């Protein structure tokens, strides 16, 4: 009799456990962070209004590039046309009361996790996504083997440009970029305005196109850096970057040094082009100079 009671009790326990295991389990959603790729603007659809169309969004106060904002809500948008990223947006991220950022303005990554690609990027076989930053500081900047400052692995020079291979945002609001092979730099040593070319979704029912491209190729330095002309002869400059023979400029003597206030950078799949602006309509191809 005791054995029968024990077996009945065991059966009841197993049934109860089975019922519990079959119930839906609550999984805590990841905290997502929006990181503006340049100095830009928050947008709003009006007090208490959740936007549904990009045409509802209007710029409000400034937002600094490379700051980090926790996303509270994500809503889809009907995209429109226009030069500003919020005019072409397909998603808006609430980061405060009546305060939004959109998918074309930011890198969206999970907080506390290292990732290779922001989740708002659209991979296309005929497109090429990249993000690069320029070191904007008065002196060389340390690189670290992780995002906790425990092991220095090298330094980078002011004015040097680096493609970002991985991204990290901490719970303390910090943002880190891996320049390759676990060489991490805190984002505040980069210029606020990144160089980038990435695709985001485009949602307009009357068009078959499903993506739009965000791009920036020129940025102005907060800390100008010195460029030295190397070689045995004077080097020709050009009036505009990437135009070369169409708009020839002045020659700069070998060994001369110049302050660079503005930089142009583009990255195709197989080639990278880097130009330094040394004066009005004076652009020098990076192959002619040194940052030493």
């Amino acid at each position: 009799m005791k054995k029968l009671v024990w077996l009945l009790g065991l059966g009841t326990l197993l049934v109860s456990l089975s019922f519990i295991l079959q119930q839906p389990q609550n999984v805590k959603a990841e905290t997502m962070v929006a990181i503006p790729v340049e100095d830009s603007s928050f947008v709003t659809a009006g007090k208490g209004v959740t936007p549904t169309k990009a045409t509802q969004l209007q710029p409000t106060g400034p937002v600094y590039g490379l700051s980090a904002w926790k996303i509270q809500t994500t809503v889809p948008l009907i995209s429109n046309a226009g030069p500003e990223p919020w005019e072409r947006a397909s998603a808006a991220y609430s980061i405060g009361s009546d305060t939004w950022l959109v998918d074309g303005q930011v890198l969206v990554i999970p907080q506390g996790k290292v990732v290779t690609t922001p989740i708002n990027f659209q991979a296309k076989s005929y497109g090429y996504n990249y993000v690069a930053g320029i070191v904007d500081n008065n002196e060389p900047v340390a690189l670290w083997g992780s995002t906790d400052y425990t092991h220095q692995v090298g330094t980078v020079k002011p004015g040097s440009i680096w493609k970002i291979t991985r991204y990290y945002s901490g719970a303390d609001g910090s943002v880190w970029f891996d320049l390759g092979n676990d060489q991490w730099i805190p984002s505040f040593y980069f210029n606020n305005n990144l160089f980038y070319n990435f695709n985001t979704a485009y949602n307009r029912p009357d068009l078959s196109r499903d993506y739009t491209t965000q791009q920036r190729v020129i940025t102005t330095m907060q800390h100008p850096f010195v460029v030295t002309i190397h070689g045995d002869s004077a080097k020709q400059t050009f009036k505009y970057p990437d135009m070369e023979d169409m708009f020839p400029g002045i020659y700069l003597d070998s060994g001369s040094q110049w302050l660079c206030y503005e930089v142009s950078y583009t990255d195709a799949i197989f080639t990278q082009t880097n130009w330094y602006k040394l004066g009005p309509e004076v652009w020098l191809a990076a192959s002619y100079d040194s940052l030493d």
Side-chain angles (χ1 to χ4, degrees), residues 151-165:
H151 176 55
Q152 185 176 339
V153 294
T155 60
V156 286
K157 296 177 181 178
S160 58
I161 297 174
W162 301 88
K163 286 177 65 175
I164 298 169
T165 63

Side-chain angles (χ1 to χ4, degrees), residues 104-178:
Q105 289 178 283
V106 297
L107 314 169
V108 178
I109 63 174
Q111 186 181 83
K113 181 183 293 186
V114 174
V115 296
T116 57
T117 305
I119 67 167
N120 56 316
F121 283 18
Q122 297 287 304
K124 299 291 180 183
S125 59
Y126 41 82
Y128 179 52
N129 292 329
Y130 74 83
V131 181
I134 184 167
V135 179
D136 198 343
N137 198 53
N138 284 326
E139 56 189 9
V141 174
L143 297 177
W144 302 88
S146 61
T147 59
D148 57 7
Y149 296 102
T150 55
H151 176 55
Q152 185 176 339
V153 294
T155 60
V156 286
K157 296 177 181 178
S160 58
I161 297 174
W162 301 88
K163 286 177 65 175
I164 298 169
T165 63
R166 293 191 296 171
Y167 308 80
Y168 177 82
S169 180
D172 59 355
S174 62
V175 176
W176 290 75
F177 299 132
D178 183 8

Side-chain angles (χ1 to χ4, degrees), residues 213-244:
T213 301
Q214 319 296 334
Q215 186 180 60
R216 184 186 184 96
V217 298
I218 294 178
T219 194
T220 300
M221 302 298 295
Q222 294 179 338
H223 301 89
F225 57 92
V226 175
V227 169
T228 301
I229 309 301
H230 281 196
D232 298 327
S233 59
K235 303 301 181 183
Q236 186 175 28
T237 64
F238 299 89
K239 293 184 178 180
Y240 305 101
D242 290 315
M243 294 294 186
E244 302 197 27

Side-chain angles (χ1 to χ4, degrees), residues 72 79 100 112 143 146 169 190 236 266-267 270 291:
Q72 300 174 5
S79 307
W100 302 78
L143 297 177
S146 61
S169 180
F190 270 171
Q236 186 175 28
T266 55
D267 189 330
F270 298 109
L291 300 181

